[in-house]
Amino acid sequence: MFTTKRAYAAMIAAAAFGGIVCGNVFAADVDKLAVTTNNTDMKGVYVGQGEDKAGLERAAKMGITKYEPEGQEGGMGAPQKTLIDNDVVKVNLVAFKKGFTRSGSIKRRYDTLLVYVDTGRYSIMAGAGGPANASPVMQHLLPGSAVFHRKESIISESRIDEDYRVLFVMMKR
């Protein structure tokens, strides 16, 4: 049965996907929708590359089996509001605050598309399941940037360097 919540979920997912992936193809003025695959250069909207098969195989060998706690998917304890939650999709709006540390070395429960509402400024303190970074580099993701993470991928530990909001669109199927 197709419900209103499912319709909203489908619209959010379609808008995020369409705007980020297809938008630059149809834009009359490409400069307004410049994209980059570098999430530190601030030269355009970052489009994440997702995890490839080899990366997921490396993650599986780390022996990390614990998933994000239910109800904390995305924010891992940061203030968040669930906008949609049905059997197809869950959408959380997370408000990360400066100084918050998002724990890592834990698996994603769902395929997840992150859509940045504000400029995301955070530093990776320890890579996915790896050791601490001696010199963390601040990441800058412009509003509208999208990053896709596959189910089973490992979350990196990150420190929030400035307040920002991000939508976590989690595909349950």
Side-chain angles (χ1 to χ4, degrees):
M1 180 176 204
F2 198 73
T3 65
T4 303
K5 285 185 179 183
R6 283 188 186 180
Y8 287 135
M11 287 188 294
I12 288 171
F17 180 78
I20 300 303
V21 176
C22 301
N24 65 333
V25 173
F26 299 108
D29 186 354
V30 175
D31 290 339
K32 290 183 180 178
L33 195 60
V35 295
T36 181
T37 56
N38 180 336
N39 59 347
T40 60
D41 66 8
M42 297 283 289
K43 292 183 179 177
V45 176
Y46 175 69
V47 179
Q49 304 305 297
E51 288 84 8
D52 60 11
K53 183 178 178 181
L56 290 173
E57 288 172 356
R58 280 191 306 274
K61 290 178 183 175
M62 289 180 194
I64 295 171
T65 58
K66 188 175 178 184
Y67 286 92
E68 301 171 277
E70 287 192 50
Q72 291 188 359
E73 296 95 349
M76 295 293 293
Q80 65 185 40
K81 180 179 181 181
T82 300
L83 304 177
I84 298 170
D85 189 3
N86 59 41
D87 59 337
V88 177
V89 69
K90 181 174 186 175
V91 179
N92 287 341
L93 176 62
V94 179
F96 287 112
K97 301 296 182 193
K98 182 177 181 176
F100 179 79
T101 299
R102 182 171 179 243
S103 57
S105 295
I106 197 163
K107 292 170 117 177
R108 287 183 178 81
R109 188 176 300 280
Y110 307 111
D111 284 334
T112 304
L113 179 69
L114 283 67
V115 181
Y116 287 78
V117 177
D118 306 307
T119 300
R121 290 189 173 96
Y122 61 92
S123 297
I124 303 294
M125 304 308 289
N133 290 334
S135 302
V137 175
M138 184 187 292
Q139 312 295 301
H140 297 89
L141 292 116
L142 294 174
S145 293
V147 180
F148 178 76
H149 292 291
R150 295 195 183 280
K151 178 181 180 175
E152 305 286 321
S153 63
I154 308 297
I155 297 170
S156 297
E157 179 182 330
S158 56
R159 176 192 65 221
I160 308 307
D161 296 319
E162 297 293 332
D163 293 357
Y164 69 92
R165 296 169 296 158
V166 61
L167 283 168
F168 283 77
V169 181
M170 298 165 276
M171 284 65 78
K172 293 182 175 182
R173 292 188 192 179

